[in-house]
Amino acid sequence: MRKRVAPALGLFFLSPLIGEFLLGNLPVTMLVALITLAPLYGGGALLVRELARRRGVGWPGIVLLAVAYGLIEEGLVTRSLFNPGFAGMDLRSYAWIPGVEVSAWWTVFVLGVHVVGSICVPIAVMESLVPARASEPWLRRPGLVVAGVLLVLGAAASAVFATDSYDPGFGRLAGVALLAGLLVFLALRRRTPAAPGTIRSGRGPGGWAVLAFSLAAGAAFWLPVMNVDALGAWLVTAIHLALYATVCVLVVRWSGQPGWGVWQRFGLAAGGVLTYAWHGFPQPPAVPTDPMADLIGNLVFAVAAVALLVTAATRIRSHAAGRYVEWVA
């Protein structure tokens, strides 16, 4: 039971720690916010992972469920997708789409942040820490129910304590809910196993090359965001869409080639973690914070992130060595 519950509990806290604190959006002085953030982020990440692993839909299913999670959080909980003044921003000035009444830039940006930073990267890191159980469900049915209840409670608490209150109307909320439900349905459909002989020829990149690719993709995502006023919101939106398509196409192609495995998946996740670690320093926190306290907090989170990655790499190496010894024996 401890072997099953420990990684689930780790993911429960890792998701908000990466998604908000390592990113630099919240300072270390706001750790008390985990009371609401852990059920929302952690409950969501747990539910996504457990549903995908139980259904055997792999990472394509996880990604689709992560998009559904992002729609639920930003469309139904914070409602930032519809609020033109969310967090003090003037989203009407950032690739606003008349009629639809949403910011194309904000929608593409914030959903990407949730898919990668809130869900996929924390799941991949935690699975790397327990490589022997990476593809197994960690929770039984009661635990799955608890994760769902925590997500609902976290969403309700976040909605209650949200500083921005905005009513987009029942129709728009229902539209988001239907779209999220459709994504969940598509994600959890069992896929037909690939026929023998369909593996692509050639050998995919190694773990270090994938890590470098992940770091470059992270920079290509965040640097335009940090200069959105200079570049223009429509150009940044186009860059992000092109980046998403490129990453998806390349990763799907590489994952079908011989040699793709745990080190490549870890390289993608590690690149995401290290990207968030460097981004935390220039990112101004969302709440007023003493600059020195913010700097110290960013240093602590960055060092902890590197230590976590080193631990994960060590466990992957030990697991691989153990399997080799078992095979030889």
Side-chain angles (χ1 to χ4, degrees):
M1 181 177 179
R2 179 183 61 83
K3 290 182 177 180
R4 288 188 294 103
V5 174
L9 189 61
L11 179 58
F12 181 74
F13 289 103
L14 186 62
S15 178
L17 286 172
I18 289 179
E20 291 289 349
F21 292 92
L22 182 64
L23 179 65
N25 195 42
L26 290 180
V28 68
T29 54
M30 287 293 294
L31 279 174
V32 67
L34 286 173
I35 295 174
T36 58
L37 291 177
L40 177 62
Y41 282 68
L46 267 176
L47 199 61
V48 165
R49 186 201 178 272
E50 293 303 302
L51 287 174
R53 292 310 184 195
R54 282 172 173 270
R55 293 288 295 175
V57 295
W59 278 101
I62 290 176
V63 171
L64 287 176
L65 289 173
V67 178
Y69 168 86
L71 284 171
I72 291 170
E73 179 172 336
E74 300 299 333
L76 303 181
V77 179
T78 68
R79 303 181 180 182
S80 75
L81 296 183
F82 308 115
N83 186 354
F86 179 76
M89 296 182 289
D90 179 16
L91 291 179
R92 293 186 184 276
S93 302
Y94 292 91
W96 191 258
I97 305 177
V100 182
E101 301 302 312
V102 298
S103 165
W105 167 73
W106 176 254
T107 301
V108 170
F109 161 72
V110 77
L111 291 182
V113 167
H114 280 304
V115 170
V116 177
S118 303
I119 304 296
C120 291
V121 166
I123 289 174
V125 170
M126 190 53 59
E127 288 187 344
S128 297
L129 287 166
V130 288
R133 300 183 299 280
S135 59
E136 302 172 0
W138 295 334
L139 299 175
R140 294 178 180 172
R141 187 164 298 177
L144 196 64
V145 172
V146 170
V149 171
L150 286 171
L151 173 59
V152 172
L153 291 177
S158 298
V160 168
F161 292 108
T163 56
D164 294 10
S165 59
Y166 185 79
D167 182 12
F170 175 79
R172 304 176 85 185
L173 295 177
V176 169
L178 287 174
L179 181 56
L182 176 61
L183 288 171
V184 171
F185 170 76
L186 294 174
L188 297 182
R189 287 196 310 167
R190 292 189 183 276
R191 288 156 177 76
T192 304
T198 58
I199 297 178
R200 296 182 179 89
S201 61
R203 189 169 184 85
W208 286 108
V210 173
L211 172 60
F213 169 77
S214 182
L215 288 170
F221 178 85
W222 283 108
L223 292 178
V225 173
M226 297 164 67
N227 296 278
V228 62
D229 290 322
L231 295 174
W234 281 111
L235 176 58
V236 174
T237 302
I239 291 173
H240 282 170
L241 290 174
L243 178 64
Y244 297 164
T246 301
V247 170
C248 288
V249 168
L250 288 178
V251 171
V252 168
R253 178 177 178 81
W254 291 338
S255 63
Q257 293 177 328
W260 182 270
V262 62
W263 283 113
Q264 285 78 6
R265 291 190 292 272
F266 174 69
L268 284 173
V273 170
L274 294 176
T275 296
Y276 268 41
W278 71 253
H279 178 270
F281 289 93
Q283 169 69 25
V287 296
T289 308
D290 177 72
M292 183 55 66
D294 184 44
L295 176 61
I296 293 174
N298 289 333
L299 286 170
V300 170
F301 288 127
V303 171
V306 172
L308 190 68
L309 293 179
V310 171
T311 302
T314 301
R315 292 190 176 185
I316 292 172
R317 186 177 294 109
S318 298
H319 176 66
R323 292 184 63 181
Y324 175 77
V325 171
E326 180 181 352
W327 179 77
V328 172

